[in-house]
Amino acid sequence: MSASAQRSATVVMTAAIAVLLVAMGVRATFGLLMQPMGLDKASPGDLLARLRHPDLVWGIGAPLFGALSDKYGSGRTIALGALLYAVGLLSMAIRTAR
């Protein structure tokens, strides 16, 4: 492998690792904050349902976003995914308990 190809592969892998660390870090934080959120916002059952919902959407959305990435490119697809993820986090933050 040439030096430029090696460097290009390193840049791609570093960017992919950075995206995954940010995404997984946000998701893992909910495990740390589950007890305070449950006491403050909702019943424990309601909180668990809210924490499972993103996993279901992620599983269903993965093939759809793969197709979008093939059609429109990975940059636009990552931007759309980040926007939708931010909207989901904001909606969880401002939702009040019933």
Side-chain angles (χ1 to χ4, degrees):
M1 182 182 281
S2 69
S4 64
Q6 177 70 30
R7 192 171 102 169
S8 178
T10 302
V11 168
V12 168
M13 288 302 294
T14 303
I17 289 169
V19 168
L20 284 172
L21 284 174
V22 170
M24 293 301 166
V26 170
R27 291 175 52 79
T29 305
F30 288 126
L32 297 173
L33 301 175
M34 185 191 275
Q35 182 69 21
M37 284 172 50
L39 294 174
D40 184 42
K41 296 274 186 190
S43 67
D46 185 37
L47 180 62
L48 287 175
R50 280 194 260 159
L51 291 175
R52 276 184 297 212
H53 184 256
D55 289 332
L56 293 172
V57 171
W58 190 353
I60 293 168
L64 300 174
F65 271 79
L68 285 174
S69 181
D70 288 343
K71 187 171 184 177
Y72 298 110
S74 59
R76 290 180 180 162
T77 306
I78 289 172
L80 176 63
L83 177 70
L84 292 174
Y85 199 72
V87 167
L89 289 175
L90 286 172
S91 69
M92 276 183 58
I94 61 174
R95 182 177 180 264
T96 59
R98 293 181 208 177

